[in-house]
Amino acid sequence: QLQLQESGPGLVKPSETLSLTCTVSGGSISSRSYYWGWIRQPPGKGLEWIGNIYYTGRTSYNPSLKSRVTISVDTSKDQFSLKLSSVTAADTAVYYCARLGDYWKASDSWGQGTLVTVSS
Amino acid sequence: DIQMTQSPSSLSAFVGDRVTITCRASQSINTYLSWYQQRPGNAPKLLIYAANSLQDGVPSRFSGRGSGTDFTLTISGLQPEDFATYYCQQTYSSLFTFGPGTKVDLK
């Protein structure tokens, strides 16, 4: 059974960099059949796509966040990571990692999510 | 960017009701449309992909239709566990946008 688990600090100061890691278990991140993505949800609001990565390292980012986002993959650890720089209070959200099918790109498996609060 | 809208934004229904939610894209997305269910405090769960394909393990009372710009999600015989928020998402363009959500609650 595939599982995804987000990890990282729950509190980040304004102007600093948010860093999260998603660990994949029960499956390989190097599978050619899947992409891996990050999605966030501000408290009480809807879902926002951040970006996704293929095991080869090929990435696609939300243009509204592109200047601040880096997604990377570590196939040796079955992990992929998110870095979001110069954070503000508007970046406070639950951050989810997810697996995407390679053709339709539907997110068929999700982590439980982790709340990251940006505050001094 | 492709904008997604949903209607209604919320609805109230009884257990056993048939419920239909509409999702509209600002331009054609073929059938690159998924539906998700999110219960409070939980991660979203994939229900439908490719506009009308039921994800493994999802009850058959959920169904999706549409192509191009107009799509629907129908729940035939609402169950207590179906009271949740539903989101559509397009994956046609490189920016995967979500609809704003439709909250289904108990009448």
Side-chain angles (χ1 to χ4, degrees):
Chain A
Q1 179 77 358
L2 184 81
Q3 291 190 328
L4 294 88
Q5 178 68 57
E6 305 89 351
S7 59
L11 181 64
V12 181
K13 289 183 168 56
S15 80
E16 295 189 345
T17 296
L18 178 160
S19 296
L20 295 174
T21 295
C22 182
T23 301
V24 177
S25 58
S28 173
I29 204 168
S30 300
S31 169
R32 295 183 179 185
S33 299
Y34 300 104
Y35 287 71
W36 306 91
W38 288 97
I39 304 99
R40 70 180 182 177
Q41 185 171 37
K45 296 188 178 180
L47 300 163
E48 181 180 30
W49 188 263
I50 299 173
N52 55 269
I53 191 166
Y54 196 51
Y55 79 97
T56 56
R58 185 170 77 240
T59 54
S60 179
Y61 298 138
N62 185 329
S64 71
L65 300 171
K66 189 172 184 177
S67 63
R68 299 193 292 131
V69 171
T70 302
I71 298 175
S72 58
V73 63
D74 186 339
T75 56
S76 68
K77 296 181 180 178
D78 279 323
Q79 293 178 335
F80 63 107
S81 298
L82 168 70
K83 291 189 186 297
L84 181 65
S85 64
S86 305
V87 297
T88 69
D91 295 310
T92 294
V94 175
Y95 285 76
Y96 296 101
C97 60
R99 184 182 78 172
L100 292 66
D102 66 338
Y103 188 79
W104 297 104
K105 302 295 193 298
S107 300
D108 64 359
S109 187
W110 295 64
Q112 64 184 22
T114 187
L115 175 63
V116 179
T117 301
V118 178
S119 176
S120 56
Chain B
D1 298 354
I2 298 176
Q3 308 300 319
M4 306 299 292
T5 57
Q6 287 182 235
S7 61
S9 57
S10 65
L11 65 90
S12 298
F14 293 106
V15 172
D17 281 353
R18 177 185 173 95
V19 167
T20 296
I21 299 168
T22 297
C23 176
R24 179 164 290 172
S26 60
Q27 65 186 74
S28 177
I29 58 170
N30 198 328
T31 55
Y32 284 81
L33 193 284
S34 303
W35 289 98
Y36 300 87
Q37 175 194 68
Q38 187 178 33
R39 299 188 182 108
N42 285 42
K45 172 188 174 184
L46 178 64
L47 301 175
I48 301 284
Y49 65 96
N52 61 11
S53 295
L54 194 66
Q55 175 66 3
D56 289 346
V58 174
S60 58
R61 63 180 179 273
F62 291 93
S63 63
R65 296 188 65 178
S67 67
T69 60
D70 295 319
F71 303 86
T72 58
L73 172 71
T74 298
I75 311 171
S76 301
L78 205 61
Q79 296 299 301
E81 61 268 29
D82 300 336
F83 292 98
T85 300
Y86 294 84
Y87 294 93
C88 61
Q89 181 201 30
Q90 67 79 20
T91 56
Y92 180 79
S93 71
S94 58
L95 171 56
F96 301 163
T97 44
F98 290 93
T102 295
K103 185 176 181 180
V104 177
D105 61 22
L106 183 62
K107 202 169 198 175

